[in-house]
Amino acid sequence: MTSRPAPSPSSSARPRRRSALLPTIIVVAALVIGLVIFAGVYTDFLWFDQLGYSTVFWRERLAKLIIFLAAFLVMAVAVYFSIRVAYRARPIYAPDNARDDNLNRYQVQLEPIRRVVMVGVPVVFGLFAGTAAMAQWEKVLLFLYRVPFGSTDPQFQLDISFYTNTLPFLGLLIGLFISVAVVSFIAGLLTHYLYGAVRLTERGIFTSRQAQIHMAVIAAVFLLLLGINFWLDRYATLQDNGGYRAGAMFTDVHAVIPTKSILAAAAIIVAILFVVAAFMGRWKLPLIGTGMLVVTAIVAGGIYPYAIQQWQVKPSEGDVEATYIGRNIDMTRQAYGLSDMTVTPYNATTTATAGALRKDADTAANIRLLDPNLISSTFAQLEQYRPYYEFPKTLNVDRYTIDGKVQDAVIAVRELNPAGINPGQQTWYNQHLVYTHGYGVVAAYGNTVTSDGKPVFMQSGVPSTGVLGTDTSYQPRTYFGQSMTDYSIVGAPEGATHVELDRPQGSSTTSTDTTGTAGESMTTFTGNGGPSVGNWFNRLMYALKFQSSDLLLTNGVNSKSQILYDRTPEQRVSKVAPYLTIDGNPYPAVVDGRIKWIVDGYTTSSYYPYSQQQQLQDATTDSLTTANGVGALPNTSVNYIRNSVKATVDAYDGSVQLYAWDTEDPILKSWENIFPTTVKPLTDMSADVMSHVRYPEDLFKVQRELLGRYHVTDPKTFYNNTYAWSVPDDPTTAAVDKQPPYYLSLKMPGQQKTAFSLTTDFIPQVVSGTESRNILYGFMAANGDAGNVKGVKSPDYGKLQLLELPPDTQVPGPGQVQNTFQSDPTVSEQLNLLKLGQSDIKNGNLLTLPMGGGLLYVQPVYVQSTGSTSYPTLQRVLVAFGNKIGYAATLNQALDQLFQGDSGAQAGDANVQKDKSAAGSSTTGGTGGATGSNPALTKALNDASQAMKDSQTALTKGDFAAYGVAQKALDAALQAAIAAEGAAAKTGTTPSASPGATASPSAKATPTP
């Protein structure tokens, strides 16, 4: 026997070396991902710390981390032990059939990685559970720091905080534990099956004793949790929106709640039976109990309530549900702040009588003629100065005290427009280091225009001048605003070369910080507005955050550089107060020597008992939000809302101040406990800021949407729905969208003084597919004057007053009034005159005012010529009272047409007097209009009107020769009208600006003699 020779060293198999490339790639990728995540967290901390809100950063993230870990551990540990118990209970046997043999092969293949799988599977499920629970961090914190409401629900007599704070947390907790039980059961069952403790045989399913006990215990835990869930469902019926109205209705109270109690008890009994059976080995009772539980759930939870609803409720629903509808009405009105609304019967007259407006002279003096939704392009053409500036599409309405008199103002910030930078100059350096801020506010009197229809500015120009201050008395530079969506790097050591472009500079302009040329001044940011990027580590972190190598390599960053980002008012407030819903319309005000954005913040809940759910986006969408694509609230549902916080954001340094506005709101009190010292007491709010606080727009929209039904407080009348209202569509737009609310200074019936208010109309409910009369049923105003005393809110602020017109009212609604304006032959003829020369007519906002014992409608009419640089100017005013209308060049003239030449509206109002002085230099028309102060202009307009009629007659007859003659006459008449108006302007009959005001450089208002 010969032996084989030993293999030579050269022929022996050498061990293969593992390539180090793959592990290296994995390690490097992990490090890069980790560094990017760290950069995000680190830069977030720098942002919060610089603003002074590091408490919010740490507490929010610590809360999320703890919640994540708790949910992760509960799920992961439970699943691990379920798998572990099942594995240790595996039977030891030899395979006796093909199926068992296959399982044995699976076990052999799994064995090398068994430990990894037994740990990996629980970890994966734990990560899912932790991530889901972490997203609910607000529910957990609101439960832990809950504050009682001090009022109870009408069914269980529990404090409202149980429903808003406790019940959501318990639901989260039970949901997590039920998920843990289900996943643990499935994981354990699969492990038992894989290792043979549970297997299919010819006689059925074989289950080992250990597997039976294991599965029975988990099933018992599941049923116990199910029983608790049934019990909590009793309280959740008060939050249900599936019935006629939100809350527990008759069927819920008399069928659903009792059956939920029965199901809870049955589930707990069956759970006990499973535990007993697990140790006794007798499964008949728990199986029967499970079957009975299913049957009970079907019968008691579904069939029985359905029968009650169909046979007891529906035949007499209005009477049977009256008690519960009453609960819904009361709780809904409480939840939305409608309980204290004052309802005033208003038997509005439709007859205009001489001197009827004398009692309303203050309101008439403040009627706003400038439409903030139309004149953005007017502001841009007159006050933009450079293409790298811009104004928002919709301007804001505020008020300022000038010479002791409160004046409504249309105001906007001249913000930076990065898209306006010359394309050839849109380099990274220019976009982030040179063009960094806007400059100044522009404000115009709301009730005054120049002779040619332009705004009369109370604040304007570059440098900024006017009654609100100069660029030395207030800080005009705007580094934080609504158009600031990109980051900027600002700041430099003292004496360093200025990099930031400041503003345009004329030949007469001087500036101490100017180092620029070619008419542009340069500056350097000197505030504390953002985290430092003066060291290499912070620069690296922000280069990673913004994925910009330029930020890391540029020589434009120095030891004093700061980086400004998250620069819109909404972003800054929502980050430092993540529990708030932010109003969609922050507005600027010049206060305390600064431009500050005032932002309204809401605390909300969707768990208030018996309160009707409201979809925020639908409620806050109107013709303005649709046209501009911004402003509406998020697509979420709530049934409780409070304007709990007023915030300010400094436009220069971005500092954020939160003030507790609704100090009685329990949800805000809970958040103040969670984030102490972040919300300042109202006593810290300055008098200047207080004077510019107004009633929030989005809250008002939500309230008016609900008020369409909930102005009715009698349950049976509510059920019959005979007095339901709708918010009218905006008649000034072609799209079918709700009319926005309007800010006006007015004196409501019964009030002693004028208040800056937010107003809206109501018409009969509009049912889809049917026509409804567009007549006025109601008018609501919210008092927005908070006063001007430091830290003291006026007791009248926030009061809602509803003027309720009689059901048989004949007062036209906005739609009818607009139709009358457009169809009136005289008005139509005059509007056609304004359209000559390819001009467009733009209808301004249609304002409704309770005046003269009725409702007065006022609409400014703007004319805009064609061309890229055209802009609308106010040329006419339309007014309506009842079925009578007026149309003239000035508001006073139009009112005098309505009220027989004696409206009484001019008394004691300087601005209206100035407006009236424009009559001699502006054309007039309409029913009864006259231009007696300018006979030449009157004749020219009459000739033009006749020429238009002759032209139309000639076209009808097909006489083109006559048509040509009429057109020549029309052209001559228009030239004569222009000449007459120009001659009148030279006589000094144009309106003057208010003291200290400045007008457009191209159209200064001259003083009234």
Side-chain angles (χ1 to χ4, degrees), residues 238-284:
L238 274 63
Q239 302 164 331
D240 181 49
N241 273 270
Y244 170 71
R245 292 278 100 182
M249 294 287 109
F250 181 91
T251 299
D252 297 308
V253 172
H254 294 87
V256 175
I257 291 176
T259 56
K260 292 290 184 181
S261 302
I262 294 171
L263 288 170
I268 293 172
I269 291 171
V270 176
I272 295 172
L273 291 177
F274 266 94
V275 173
V276 172
F279 294 98
M280 295 183 62
R282 298 179 180 179
W283 297 96
K284 188 174 183 180

Side-chain angles (χ1 to χ4, degrees), residues 836 947-948 950-952 955 961-973:
L836 294 174
M948 290 182 64
D950 293 343
S951 297
Q952 187 62 38
L955 283 176
Y963 176 75
V965 173
Q967 286 294 298
K968 289 181 181 180
L970 176 60
D971 183 65

Side-chain angles (χ1 to χ4, degrees), residues 11 13 70 87 110 135 182 184 193 235 390 413 423 549 655 688 888 937 962 1002:
S11 63
Y87 175 75
L110 181 63
V182 171
S184 298
Y193 177 76
Y235 304 107
E390 70 175 353
V413 174
S549 59
S655 57
D688 212 358
L937 181 58
S1002 62

Side-chain angles (χ1 to χ4, degrees), residues 611-772:
S611 178
Q612 200 68 31
Q613 291 279 343
Q614 187 73 17
Q615 214 283 338
L616 289 181
Q617 190 175 74
D618 289 345
T620 56
T621 297
D622 56 31
S623 60
L624 291 184
T625 60
T626 301
N628 297 338
V630 295
L633 291 182
N635 187 22
T636 56
S637 292
V638 304
N639 65 3
Y640 172 90
I641 186 169
R642 288 290 185 273
N643 179 208
S644 54
V645 171
K646 299 284 187 182
T648 62
V649 177
D650 192 294
Y652 183 72
D653 63 19
S655 57
V656 180
Q657 304 295 337
L658 307 175
Y659 299 97
W661 188 252
D662 189 343
T663 56
E664 301 301 316
D665 177 29
I667 295 182
L668 176 62
K669 291 179 181 178
S670 296
W671 286 115
E672 287 181 298
N673 291 337
I674 296 166
F675 300 119
T677 73
T678 59
V679 181
K680 294 185 175 182
L682 188 59
T683 52
D684 285 359
M685 181 181 283
S686 73
D688 212 358
V689 173
M690 185 74 74
S691 67
H692 290 280
V693 165
R694 67 188 193 187
Y695 198 83
E697 203 166 340
D698 284 336
L699 173 62
F700 188 75
K701 291 179 184 179
V702 171
Q703 289 174 322
R704 72 172 183 173
E705 195 72 15
L706 278 161
L707 206 62
R709 290 293 304 274
Y710 287 90
H711 68 279
V712 178
T713 56
D714 177 68
K716 292 187 178 180
T717 306
F718 184 96
Y719 177 81
N720 293 333
N721 201 31
T722 53
Y723 295 106
W725 298 344
S726 292
V727 176
D729 290 332
D730 189 347
T732 66
T733 63
V736 181
D737 291 301
K738 285 176 288 192
Q739 187 180 43
Y742 296 121
Y743 286 103
L744 300 168
S745 287
L746 57 85
K747 183 165 64 177
M748 291 286 284
Q751 290 184 348
Q752 299 301 313
K753 60 181 182 179
T754 300
F756 186 72
S757 304
L758 190 55
T759 65
T760 192
D761 297 335
F762 292 102
I763 62 173
Q765 185 180 51
V766 177
V767 180
S768 179
T770 64
E771 290 190 7
S772 178

Side-chain angles (χ1 to χ4, degrees), residues 66-90:
I66 292 173
I67 294 167
F68 173 85
L69 290 175
F72 172 84
L73 290 174
V74 169
M75 176 65 80
V77 170
V79 174
Y80 174 79
F81 276 106
S82 182
I83 295 174
R84 184 71 179 173
V85 168
Y87 175 75
R88 296 189 66 172
R90 68 192 184 281

